[in-house]
Amino acid sequence: MLKMKPSCECCDKDLPAEQSGARVCSFECTFCEDCTTTVFADTCPNCGGELVARPTRSVDKLINNPASTQRVHNPAGCTKV
């Protein structure tokens, strides 16, 4: 099951699990759409993998399967590729 991290690792924007707009790589590094396209050119700055749309999780499923609350924020790793 995906961790569903709550924020962009670059700009720290909130990324609610029940809403679209998050991008992830195969290691679940998580970024917002804006950082993915304007800063990273759809490539994960951590592993070099492809950043793709993270699926959403319905609110009723979040009750028993909550998203992560652990924020990962690494502004030092936010450089254009």
Side-chain angles (χ1 to χ4, degrees):
M1 178 173 19
L2 289 172
K3 292 178 189 173
M4 309 293 282
K5 293 177 187 173
S7 60
C8 176
E9 294 181 28
C10 180
C11 69
D12 205 34
K13 176 182 178 179
D14 289 339
L15 298 170
E18 70 278 6
Q19 295 177 12
S20 62
R23 299 289 182 263
V24 296
C25 70
S26 65
F27 289 96
E28 293 189 57
C29 300
T30 305
F31 302 95
C32 68
E33 285 179 301
D34 189 46
C35 289
T36 296
T37 57
T38 62
V39 180
F40 304 126
D42 299 315
T43 302
C44 179
N46 301 323
C47 70
E50 180 183 17
L51 290 168
V52 298
R54 180 183 75 185
T56 59
R57 188 170 296 164
S58 62
V59 175
D60 63 320
K61 297 297 183 191
L62 284 167
I63 295 167
N64 291 323
N65 303 284
S68 174
T69 57
Q70 182 178 1
R71 296 178 87 86
V72 176
H73 186 216
N74 183 20
C78 270
T79 55
K80 273 196 170 194
V81 290

